[in-house]
Amino acid sequence: MFGQITTTPPAERGLEDLDAAALAYAARIAGLPPERRQEARDDLVRFALPFAGRLARRYRGRGEPLEDLEQVARLGLVNAVDRYDPERGSFTAYAAITIVGEIKRHFRDRTWGVHVPRRLRDLILEVGQATAALTSELSRAPSVAELAARLETPEEEILAALESAAGYSPASLNAPVGGESSAEFGDLVGESDSDLESVDDRVTVSGLLGRLPWRERRILAMRFYGNQTQAEIAARFGISQMHVSRLLSRALTWLRQAMLADTPAPWQSGTADAANPPARVSVRRTGNRVVVEATGELDRNLAEQLRQAVVEAVGAGHPAEVAIDLTDITRLDGPALDALVAGRDAAHRAGVRWRLARAQPAIQPALTSAGLVALPAD
């Protein structure tokens, strides 16, 4: 029976032939072992291929190649053959539903350029059909309100469907703009400017910098705009690198606090934190003994004051001893070491006993490199 049907020319096969072939296929596989059923299945699939092709051609011209649609339709046909049950009715009706469903699923899941929810994609199809019908009736394009009334759907959802329809085949960012220009569409698309987000901070910092002393403003500019090292800045100002580090830290701390405050606190030009006392040189005389005390970190200016204090202590009143108390010295740079060497030489020439006392371990290497010997701190 089934073999006679398969010999019928394709042009003469009607829907009744397809139903008859399906019934013959069901009867044929009932008495065959599983390994023999594959041949009968392939015969029915080949017989129904023209039917699947006709269904696929209904959807051509919608942006998908006909070859792809035919492949999808054949996949639906194979599924229909595998799931066919003669007791449930006509094979032709069942196969048509299965094949068309597979084609629509292909359009819904594979052809959209961007992700759009399934509910919205179904509404897009309904809006397209309603637009065609209303255009024919009204002889003009329908409005959103008219589409909403026809589909009994809120206008907001109609607008969302119309906007989302553009996501079916979005334009490429690499597409040329047109004309003789070499620009691409992506060149015309704006992007987030991270610099705009920092405009408020830049304006605030600019105003706060004006409240800093000239030296702190200059150091900040040299460090963060001139990209100079702390050592280079220290050489420029004649101070130590540690001093530059403290000045930077203090200025930056004040800027951070000022930016977070509604009313910035005024800059305190003469303050210093307890851990880093201001540098100074003082002289005290006890009998025939003169003690020169140096505190903090000696920069170039204070190093010159130290030189003058030591030389004057040696020559004033012919003391028996001049002692330099280094207890609170945290760092010695070149000018400070030169001042100590000059004081030692002046004391030797005058026959005055010279002594460096209570030197911290951190400055011992610098003293040794300058040929100076100091008693360690207790």
Side-chain angles (χ1 to χ4, degrees):
M1 296 183 294
F2 185 63
Q4 293 178 351
I5 295 176
T6 57
T7 61
T8 305
E12 299 178 7
R13 297 171 187 166
L15 297 182
E16 297 81 3
D17 295 333
L18 189 55
D19 284 338
L23 291 173
Y25 160 74
R28 180 181 177 186
I29 64 173
L32 293 177
E35 62 272 11
R36 295 290 305 278
R37 294 181 181 180
Q38 182 65 37
E39 181 181 353
R41 172 182 177 273
D42 294 342
D43 288 341
L44 180 58
V45 170
R46 282 193 296 267
F47 183 81
L49 282 178
F51 174 70
R54 289 195 297 270
L55 292 177
R57 285 191 290 274
R58 294 180 182 178
Y59 293 88
R60 62 185 173 185
R62 300 190 183 185
E64 281 292 287
L66 179 59
E67 293 79 3
D68 292 351
L69 296 178
E70 289 178 343
Q71 290 292 335
V72 174
R74 291 167 184 170
L75 175 61
L77 174 61
V78 171
N79 292 335
V81 170
D82 290 341
R83 301 168 187 168
Y84 172 60
D85 184 355
E87 297 181 359
R88 294 186 178 180
S90 169
F91 171 79
T92 302
Y94 176 68
I97 294 174
T98 304
I99 294 171
V100 170
E102 199 70 35
I103 293 174
K104 289 183 177 180
R105 187 179 299 108
H106 173 78
F107 275 102
R108 184 171 58 240
D109 299 337
R110 301 294 181 86
T111 60
W112 285 83
V114 296
H115 175 72
V116 176
R118 180 174 179 177
R119 178 192 59 79
L120 195 55
R121 279 181 284 185
D122 293 339
L123 180 59
I124 291 172
L125 295 177
E126 296 177 5
V127 169
Q129 296 171 357
T131 300
L134 287 173
T135 300
S136 177
E137 296 174 7
L138 303 174
S139 299
R140 59 174 176 81
S143 65
V144 174
E146 291 168 341
L147 288 171
R150 171 63 66 92
L151 298 176
E152 298 181 355
T153 304
E155 294 186 14
E156 293 77 7
E157 295 187 11
I158 299 296
L159 288 172
L162 293 174
E163 293 176 358
S164 301
Y168 180 77
S169 56
S172 172
L173 293 178
N174 298 117
V177 174
E180 299 180 356
S181 174
S182 60
E184 297 179 348
F185 181 70
D187 299 332
L188 306 180
V189 179
E191 58 183 9
S192 299
D193 189 351
S194 57
D195 291 339
L196 289 177
E197 300 177 359
S198 61
V199 168
D200 290 343
D201 292 340
R202 290 174 180 267
V203 172
T204 303
V205 169
S206 177
L208 293 175
L209 286 175
R211 303 188 182 188
L212 293 175
W214 175 87
R215 182 177 65 169
E216 279 72 8
R217 292 202 309 270
R218 183 62 178 164
I219 289 176
L220 288 172
M222 294 171 66
R223 180 68 185 95
F224 296 104
Y225 293 92
N227 200 29
Q228 298 186 30
T229 65
Q230 293 184 8
E232 293 171 338
I233 298 173
R236 181 71 177 272
F237 282 90
I239 57 180
S240 68
Q241 181 178 343
M242 184 178 293
H243 196 180
V244 172
S245 177
R246 285 203 299 266
L247 292 174
L248 282 171
S249 177
R250 181 166 171 243
L252 293 174
T253 299
W254 183 83
L255 285 173
R256 293 190 194 97
Q257 295 174 349
M259 290 187 66
L260 297 175
D262 295 335
T263 303
W267 174 266
Q268 301 295 330
S269 59
T271 62
D273 55 84
N276 298 296
R280 68 177 186 273
V281 176
S282 61
V283 180
R284 74 174 187 270
R285 180 182 292 271
T286 304
N288 288 333
R289 185 170 180 267
V290 177
V291 178
V292 179
E293 292 181 343
T295 303
E297 183 182 347
L298 299 178
D299 57 17
R300 182 173 298 178
N301 294 330
L302 288 174
E304 184 59 29
Q305 295 181 22
L306 176 62
R307 179 197 296 268
Q308 294 177 1
V310 171
V311 173
E312 291 176 359
V314 170
H318 302 286
E321 179 185 76
V322 172
I324 312 299
D325 190 344
L326 302 176
T327 304
D328 295 325
I329 294 296
T330 59
R331 181 183 175 88
L332 287 173
D333 55 10
L337 291 172
D338 293 340
L340 294 177
V341 171
R344 180 198 62 185
D345 295 342
H348 288 172
R349 288 193 299 269
V352 176
R353 182 184 176 188
W354 169 269
R355 186 163 66 94
L356 296 177
R358 305 173 67 181
Q360 301 295 329
I363 66 173
Q364 284 286 3
L367 294 171
T368 302
S369 65
L372 298 171
V373 179
L375 298 177
D378 298 336

